[in-house]
mmCIF file of all heavy atoms in Angstrom:
data_model
loop_
_atom_site.group_PDB
_atom_site.id
_atom_site.type_symbol
_atom_site.label_atom_id
_atom_site.label_comp_id
_atom_site.label_asym_id
_atom_site.label_seq_id
_atom_site.Cartn_x
_atom_site.Cartn_y
_atom_site.Cartn_z
ATOM 1 N N ARG Z 846 -38.301 24.176 -20.556
ATOM 2 C CA ARG Z 846 -38.179 24.431 -19.117
ATOM 3 C C ARG Z 846 -38.309 23.170 -18.275
ATOM 4 O O ARG Z 846 -38.432 23.252 -17.065
ATOM 5 C CB ARG Z 846 -39.247 25.430 -18.694
ATOM 6 C CG ARG Z 846 -39.080 26.759 -19.377
ATOM 7 C CD ARG Z 846 -40.097 27.738 -18.878
ATOM 8 N NE ARG Z 846 -39.940 28.981 -19.596
ATOM 9 C CZ ARG Z 846 -40.920 29.648 -20.162
ATOM 10 N NH1 ARG Z 846 -42.152 29.216 -20.062
ATOM 11 N NH2 ARG Z 846 -40.683 30.759 -20.809
ATOM 12 N N ILE Z 847 -38.296 22.010 -18.925
ATOM 13 C CA ILE Z 847 -38.502 20.751 -18.199
ATOM 14 C C ILE Z 847 -37.177 19.999 -18.086
ATOM 15 O O ILE Z 847 -36.651 19.500 -19.074
ATOM 16 C CB ILE Z 847 -39.536 19.872 -18.921
ATOM 17 C CG1 ILE Z 847 -40.844 20.650 -19.088
ATOM 18 C CG2 ILE Z 847 -39.756 18.571 -18.168
ATOM 19 C CD1 ILE Z 847 -41.806 20.012 -20.066
ATOM 20 N N THR Z 848 -36.629 19.953 -16.885
ATOM 21 C CA THR Z 848 -35.406 19.193 -16.661
ATOM 22 C C THR Z 848 -35.707 17.720 -16.898
ATOM 23 O O THR Z 848 -36.690 17.199 -16.398
ATOM 24 C CB THR Z 848 -34.905 19.395 -15.214
ATOM 25 O OG1 THR Z 848 -34.709 20.792 -14.996
ATOM 26 C CG2 THR Z 848 -33.598 18.649 -14.985
ATOM 27 N N GLY Z 849 -34.894 17.049 -17.675
ATOM 28 C CA GLY Z 849 -35.116 15.637 -17.976
ATOM 29 C C GLY Z 849 -36.314 15.397 -18.872
ATOM 30 O O GLY Z 849 -36.849 14.295 -18.919
ATOM 31 N N GLY Z 850 -36.732 16.420 -19.611
ATOM 32 C CA GLY Z 850 -37.927 16.321 -20.445
ATOM 33 C C GLY Z 850 -37.697 15.789 -21.841
ATOM 34 O O GLY Z 850 -38.625 15.740 -22.643
ATOM 35 N N SER Z 851 -36.461 15.381 -22.164
ATOM 36 C CA SER Z 851 -36.235 14.818 -23.498
ATOM 37 C C SER Z 851 -35.348 13.591 -23.427
ATOM 38 O O SER Z 851 -34.581 13.411 -22.482
ATOM 39 C CB SER Z 851 -35.609 15.863 -24.428
ATOM 40 O OG SER Z 851 -34.255 16.068 -24.110
ATOM 41 N N ARG Z 852 -35.477 12.742 -24.426
ATOM 42 C CA ARG Z 852 -34.673 11.531 -24.565
ATOM 43 C C ARG Z 852 -34.236 11.424 -26.016
ATOM 44 O O ARG Z 852 -35.019 11.712 -26.920
ATOM 45 C CB ARG Z 852 -35.488 10.271 -24.235
ATOM 46 C CG ARG Z 852 -36.141 10.215 -22.878
ATOM 47 C CD ARG Z 852 -35.121 9.913 -21.792
ATOM 48 N NE ARG Z 852 -35.721 9.635 -20.504
ATOM 49 C CZ ARG Z 852 -36.169 10.568 -19.662
ATOM 50 N NH1 ARG Z 852 -36.135 11.819 -19.979
ATOM 51 N NH2 ARG Z 852 -36.665 10.211 -18.492
ATOM 52 N N VAL Z 853 -33.012 10.982 -26.230
ATOM 53 C CA VAL Z 853 -32.527 10.686 -27.575
ATOM 54 C C VAL Z 853 -32.333 9.185 -27.646
ATOM 55 O O VAL Z 853 -31.671 8.596 -26.776
ATOM 56 C CB VAL Z 853 -31.209 11.429 -27.897
ATOM 57 C CG1 VAL Z 853 -30.681 11.009 -29.267
ATOM 58 C CG2 VAL Z 853 -31.424 12.942 -27.847
ATOM 59 N N TYR Z 854 -32.928 8.571 -28.657
ATOM 60 C CA TYR Z 854 -32.861 7.129 -28.839
ATOM 61 C C TYR Z 854 -32.048 6.789 -30.084
ATOM 62 O O TYR Z 854 -32.062 7.526 -31.063
ATOM 63 C CB TYR Z 854 -34.262 6.528 -28.971
ATOM 64 C CG TYR Z 854 -35.058 6.674 -27.705
ATOM 65 C CD1 TYR Z 854 -36.072 7.607 -27.597
ATOM 66 C CD2 TYR Z 854 -34.775 5.876 -26.610
ATOM 67 C CE1 TYR Z 854 -36.796 7.743 -26.421
ATOM 68 C CE2 TYR Z 854 -35.490 6.006 -25.427
ATOM 69 C CZ TYR Z 854 -36.497 6.941 -25.350
ATOM 70 O OH TYR Z 854 -37.196 7.066 -24.179
ATOM 71 N N ALA Z 855 -31.368 5.640 -30.014
ATOM 72 C CA ALA Z 855 -30.576 5.158 -31.143
ATOM 73 C C ALA Z 855 -31.456 4.298 -32.047
ATOM 74 O O ALA Z 855 -32.385 3.643 -31.601
ATOM 75 C CB ALA Z 855 -29.386 4.339 -30.649
ATOM 76 N N SER Z 856 -31.114 4.333 -33.317
ATOM 77 C CA SER Z 856 -31.774 3.491 -34.301
ATOM 78 C C SER Z 856 -30.841 3.384 -35.500
ATOM 79 O O SER Z 856 -30.293 4.391 -35.944
ATOM 80 C CB SER Z 856 -33.112 4.103 -34.725
ATOM 81 O OG SER Z 856 -33.786 3.245 -35.610
ATOM 82 N N GLY Z 857 -30.642 2.178 -35.988
ATOM 83 C CA GLY Z 857 -29.788 2.003 -37.147
ATOM 84 C C GLY Z 857 -28.329 2.295 -36.888
ATOM 85 O O GLY Z 857 -27.588 2.634 -37.794
ATOM 86 N N GLY Z 858 -27.908 2.223 -35.627
ATOM 87 C CA GLY Z 858 -26.504 2.402 -35.303
ATOM 88 C C GLY Z 858 -26.107 3.771 -34.792
ATOM 89 O O GLY Z 858 -24.951 3.992 -34.457
ATOM 90 N N GLY Z 859 -27.028 4.712 -34.744
ATOM 91 C CA GLY Z 859 -26.668 6.039 -34.252
ATOM 92 C C GLY Z 859 -27.877 6.749 -33.682
ATOM 93 O O GLY Z 859 -28.997 6.266 -33.785
ATOM 94 N N PRO Z 860 -27.663 7.925 -33.062
ATOM 95 C CA PRO Z 860 -28.786 8.681 -32.519
ATOM 96 C C PRO Z 860 -29.726 9.074 -33.648
ATOM 97 O O PRO Z 860 -29.286 9.540 -34.689
ATOM 98 C CB PRO Z 860 -28.145 9.913 -31.891
ATOM 99 C CG PRO Z 860 -26.690 9.786 -32.061
ATOM 100 C CD PRO Z 860 -26.400 8.588 -32.897
ATOM 101 N N ALA Z 861 -31.014 8.825 -33.490
ATOM 102 C CA ALA Z 861 -31.928 9.063 -34.584
ATOM 103 C C ALA Z 861 -33.235 9.732 -34.187
ATOM 104 O O ALA Z 861 -33.868 10.361 -35.002
ATOM 105 C CB ALA Z 861 -32.242 7.737 -35.278
ATOM 106 N N LEU Z 862 -33.650 9.566 -32.940
ATOM 107 C CA LEU Z 862 -34.972 10.022 -32.560
ATOM 108 C C LEU Z 862 -34.902 10.792 -31.249
ATOM 109 O O LEU Z 862 -34.456 10.276 -30.234
ATOM 110 C CB LEU Z 862 -35.891 8.796 -32.395
ATOM 111 C CG LEU Z 862 -37.361 9.037 -32.129
ATOM 112 C CD1 LEU Z 862 -38.013 9.736 -33.314
ATOM 113 C CD2 LEU Z 862 -38.055 7.713 -31.860
ATOM 114 N N ASN Z 863 -35.334 12.045 -31.285
ATOM 115 C CA ASN Z 863 -35.397 12.888 -30.103
ATOM 116 C C ASN Z 863 -36.860 12.969 -29.689
ATOM 117 O O ASN Z 863 -37.704 13.388 -30.476
ATOM 118 C CB ASN Z 863 -34.863 14.286 -30.416
ATOM 119 C CG ASN Z 863 -34.937 15.207 -29.223
ATOM 120 O OD1 ASN Z 863 -34.518 14.835 -28.134
ATOM 121 N ND2 ASN Z 863 -35.459 16.401 -29.415
ATOM 122 N N VAL Z 864 -37.163 12.533 -28.480
ATOM 123 C CA VAL Z 864 -38.518 12.577 -27.946
ATOM 124 C C VAL Z 864 -38.514 13.596 -26.820
ATOM 125 O O VAL Z 864 -37.698 13.500 -25.907
ATOM 126 C CB VAL Z 864 -38.940 11.175 -27.434
ATOM 127 C CG1 VAL Z 864 -40.308 11.233 -26.781
ATOM 128 C CG2 VAL Z 864 -38.916 10.169 -28.575
ATOM 129 N N TYR Z 865 -39.406 14.577 -26.902
ATOM 130 C CA TYR Z 865 -39.394 15.642 -25.898
ATOM 131 C C TYR Z 865 -40.806 16.007 -25.479
ATOM 132 O O TYR Z 865 -41.749 15.919 -26.258
ATOM 133 C CB TYR Z 865 -38.669 16.882 -26.424
ATOM 134 C CG TYR Z 865 -39.381 17.545 -27.583
ATOM 135 C CD1 TYR Z 865 -40.170 18.668 -27.375
ATOM 136 C CD2 TYR Z 865 -39.263 17.039 -28.873
ATOM 137 C CE1 TYR Z 865 -40.835 19.274 -28.426
ATOM 138 C CE2 TYR Z 865 -39.903 17.642 -29.935
ATOM 139 C CZ TYR Z 865 -40.694 18.759 -29.704
ATOM 140 O OH TYR Z 865 -41.353 19.348 -30.746
ATOM 141 N N GLN Z 866 -40.935 16.399 -24.218
ATOM 142 C CA GLN Z 866 -42.236 16.786 -23.684
ATOM 143 C C GLN Z 866 -42.596 18.177 -24.165
ATOM 144 O O GLN Z 866 -41.790 19.104 -24.096
ATOM 145 C CB GLN Z 866 -42.209 16.729 -22.160
ATOM 146 C CG GLN Z 866 -43.584 16.926 -21.548
ATOM 147 C CD GLN Z 866 -43.627 16.515 -20.101
ATOM 148 O OE1 GLN Z 866 -43.069 15.494 -19.734
ATOM 149 N NE2 GLN Z 866 -44.299 17.311 -19.290
ATOM 150 N N SER Z 867 -43.827 18.299 -24.676
ATOM 151 C CA SER Z 867 -44.279 19.580 -25.214
ATOM 152 C C SER Z 867 -45.806 19.623 -25.225
ATOM 153 O O SER Z 867 -46.462 18.588 -25.331
ATOM 154 C CB SER Z 867 -43.759 19.754 -26.653
ATOM 155 O OG SER Z 867 -44.347 20.888 -27.255
ATOM 156 N N THR Z 868 -46.340 20.815 -25.181
ATOM 157 C CA THR Z 868 -47.793 20.982 -25.262
ATOM 158 C C THR Z 868 -48.307 20.758 -26.683
ATOM 159 O O THR Z 868 -49.505 20.665 -26.901
ATOM 160 C CB THR Z 868 -48.208 22.389 -24.796
ATOM 161 O OG1 THR Z 868 -47.525 23.357 -25.597
ATOM 162 C CG2 THR Z 868 -47.886 22.593 -23.326
ATOM 163 N N THR Z 869 -47.414 20.648 -27.664
ATOM 164 C CA THR Z 869 -47.825 20.433 -29.059
ATOM 165 C C THR Z 869 -47.911 18.955 -29.422
ATOM 166 O O THR Z 869 -48.112 18.611 -30.579
ATOM 167 C CB THR Z 869 -46.854 21.126 -30.033
ATOM 168 O OG1 THR Z 869 -45.563 20.527 -29.897
ATOM 169 C CG2 THR Z 869 -46.776 22.617 -29.777
ATOM 170 N N ALA Z 870 -47.794 18.072 -28.465
ATOM 171 C CA ALA Z 870 -47.778 16.626 -28.716
ATOM 172 C C ALA Z 870 -49.013 16.158 -29.474
ATOM 173 O O ALA Z 870 -50.133 16.563 -29.166
ATOM 174 C CB ALA Z 870 -47.672 15.869 -27.402
ATOM 175 N N GLY Z 871 -48.768 15.300 -30.472
ATOM 176 C CA GLY Z 871 -49.853 14.648 -31.191
ATOM 177 C C GLY Z 871 -50.721 15.550 -32.030
ATOM 178 O O GLY Z 871 -51.853 15.193 -32.349
ATOM 179 N N THR Z 872 -50.240 16.715 -32.419
ATOM 180 C CA THR Z 872 -51.079 17.656 -33.169
ATOM 181 C C THR Z 872 -50.959 17.510 -34.683
ATOM 182 O O THR Z 872 -51.633 18.221 -35.409
ATOM 183 C CB THR Z 872 -50.750 19.118 -32.784
ATOM 184 O OG1 THR Z 872 -49.371 19.371 -33.049
ATOM 185 C CG2 THR Z 872 -51.062 19.380 -31.321
ATOM 186 N N THR Z 873 -50.138 16.596 -35.168
ATOM 187 C CA THR Z 873 -50.035 16.407 -36.606
ATOM 188 C C THR Z 873 -50.558 15.030 -36.992
ATOM 189 O O THR Z 873 -50.462 14.082 -36.218
ATOM 190 C CB THR Z 873 -48.574 16.576 -37.094
ATOM 191 O OG1 THR Z 873 -48.551 16.460 -38.520
ATOM 192 C CG2 THR Z 873 -47.652 15.543 -36.487
ATOM 193 N N GLU Z 874 -51.134 14.936 -38.176
ATOM 194 C CA GLU Z 874 -51.688 13.673 -38.637
ATOM 195 C C GLU Z 874 -50.767 12.954 -39.613
ATOM 196 O O GLU Z 874 -51.095 11.872 -40.083
ATOM 197 C CB GLU Z 874 -53.048 13.921 -39.286
ATOM 198 C CG GLU Z 874 -54.075 14.443 -38.290
ATOM 199 C CD GLU Z 874 -55.435 14.697 -38.926
ATOM 200 O OE1 GLU Z 874 -55.674 14.240 -40.060
ATOM 201 O OE2 GLU Z 874 -56.254 15.354 -38.282
ATOM 202 N N VAL Z 875 -49.624 13.527 -39.919
ATOM 203 C CA VAL Z 875 -48.718 12.938 -40.907
ATOM 204 C C VAL Z 875 -47.824 11.884 -40.269
ATOM 205 O O VAL Z 875 -47.664 11.841 -39.051
ATOM 206 C CB VAL Z 875 -47.840 14.018 -41.585
ATOM 207 C CG1 VAL Z 875 -48.709 15.057 -42.284
ATOM 208 C CG2 VAL Z 875 -46.920 14.677 -40.582
ATOM 209 N N THR Z 876 -47.233 11.047 -41.096
ATOM 210 C CA THR Z 876 -46.252 10.073 -40.625
ATOM 211 C C THR Z 876 -44.967 10.834 -40.334
ATOM 212 O O THR Z 876 -44.429 11.516 -41.197
ATOM 213 C CB THR Z 876 -46.001 8.992 -41.694
ATOM 214 O OG1 THR Z 876 -47.257 8.364 -41.995
ATOM 215 C CG2 THR Z 876 -45.003 7.961 -41.210
ATOM 216 N N LEU Z 877 -44.466 10.726 -39.109
ATOM 217 C CA LEU Z 877 -43.311 11.505 -38.674
ATOM 218 C C LEU Z 877 -41.975 10.821 -38.937
ATOM 219 O O LEU Z 877 -40.964 11.494 -39.088
ATOM 220 C CB LEU Z 877 -43.438 11.841 -37.187
ATOM 221 C CG LEU Z 877 -44.631 12.732 -36.853
ATOM 222 C CD1 LEU Z 877 -44.804 12.845 -35.346
ATOM 223 C CD2 LEU Z 877 -44.464 14.101 -37.484
ATOM 224 N N ALA Z 878 -41.955 9.501 -38.957
ATOM 225 C CA ALA Z 878 -40.710 8.777 -39.204
ATOM 226 C C ALA Z 878 -41.041 7.378 -39.701
ATOM 227 O O ALA Z 878 -42.109 6.844 -39.401
ATOM 228 C CB ALA Z 878 -39.855 8.701 -37.935
ATOM 229 N N VAL Z 879 -40.116 6.810 -40.461
ATOM 230 C CA VAL Z 879 -40.305 5.477 -41.032
ATOM 231 C C VAL Z 879 -39.071 4.637 -40.736
ATOM 232 O O VAL Z 879 -37.949 5.093 -40.928
ATOM 233 C CB VAL Z 879 -40.505 5.549 -42.564
ATOM 234 C CG1 VAL Z 879 -40.668 4.161 -43.154
ATOM 235 C CG2 VAL Z 879 -41.684 6.439 -42.919
ATOM 236 N N TRP Z 880 -39.300 3.415 -40.265
ATOM 237 C CA TRP Z 880 -38.216 2.451 -40.123
ATOM 238 C C TRP Z 880 -38.272 1.533 -41.339
ATOM 239 O O TRP Z 880 -39.333 0.982 -41.663
ATOM 240 C CB TRP Z 880 -38.373 1.615 -38.861
ATOM 241 C CG TRP Z 880 -37.901 2.277 -37.622
ATOM 242 C CD1 TRP Z 880 -36.636 2.268 -37.124
ATOM 243 C CD2 TRP Z 880 -38.684 3.029 -36.684
ATOM 244 N NE1 TRP Z 880 -36.580 2.964 -35.941
ATOM 245 C CE2 TRP Z 880 -37.823 3.450 -35.654
ATOM 246 C CE3 TRP Z 880 -40.028 3.384 -36.628
ATOM 247 C CZ2 TRP Z 880 -38.266 4.202 -34.579
ATOM 248 C CZ3 TRP Z 880 -40.468 4.140 -35.560
ATOM 249 C CH2 TRP Z 880 -39.595 4.542 -34.556
ATOM 250 N N TYR Z 881 -37.158 1.381 -42.032
ATOM 251 C CA TYR Z 881 -37.065 0.478 -43.178
ATOM 252 C C TYR Z 881 -36.515 -0.834 -42.667
ATOM 253 O O TYR Z 881 -35.400 -0.888 -42.153
ATOM 254 C CB TYR Z 881 -36.183 1.100 -44.267
ATOM 255 C CG TYR Z 881 -36.837 2.351 -44.809
ATOM 256 C CD1 TYR Z 881 -36.571 3.598 -44.256
ATOM 257 C CD2 TYR Z 881 -37.766 2.262 -45.832
ATOM 258 C CE1 TYR Z 881 -37.205 4.738 -44.724
ATOM 259 C CE2 TYR Z 881 -38.409 3.397 -46.310
ATOM 260 C CZ TYR Z 881 -38.121 4.633 -45.752
ATOM 261 O OH TYR Z 881 -38.763 5.756 -46.213
ATOM 262 N N VAL Z 882 -37.319 -1.886 -42.777
ATOM 263 C CA VAL Z 882 -36.998 -3.166 -42.162
ATOM 264 C C VAL Z 882 -36.903 -4.260 -43.222
ATOM 265 O O VAL Z 882 -37.453 -4.134 -44.316
ATOM 266 C CB VAL Z 882 -38.048 -3.541 -41.090
ATOM 267 C CG1 VAL Z 882 -38.087 -2.481 -39.988
ATOM 268 C CG2 VAL Z 882 -39.427 -3.726 -41.695
#
């Protein structure tokens, strides 16, 4: 229900990461994504 509440970011040449506003933010302790450098 949040207008403008998400962003899609590019990584590695294409869209890769969707960041969105939510009340569930930061509730997991696992690694969510890895960049191979």
Side-chain angles (χ1 to χ4, degrees):
R846 298 183 182 131
I847 304 166
T848 303
S851 74
R852 304 284 189 280
V853 176
Y854 295 105
S856 184
L862 186 64
N863 179 49
V864 176
Y865 66 100
Q866 188 165 318
S867 171
T868 57
T869 63
T872 59
T873 183
E874 295 180 14
V875 301
T876 302
L877 296 172
V879 179
W880 279 273
Y881 295 91
V882 300

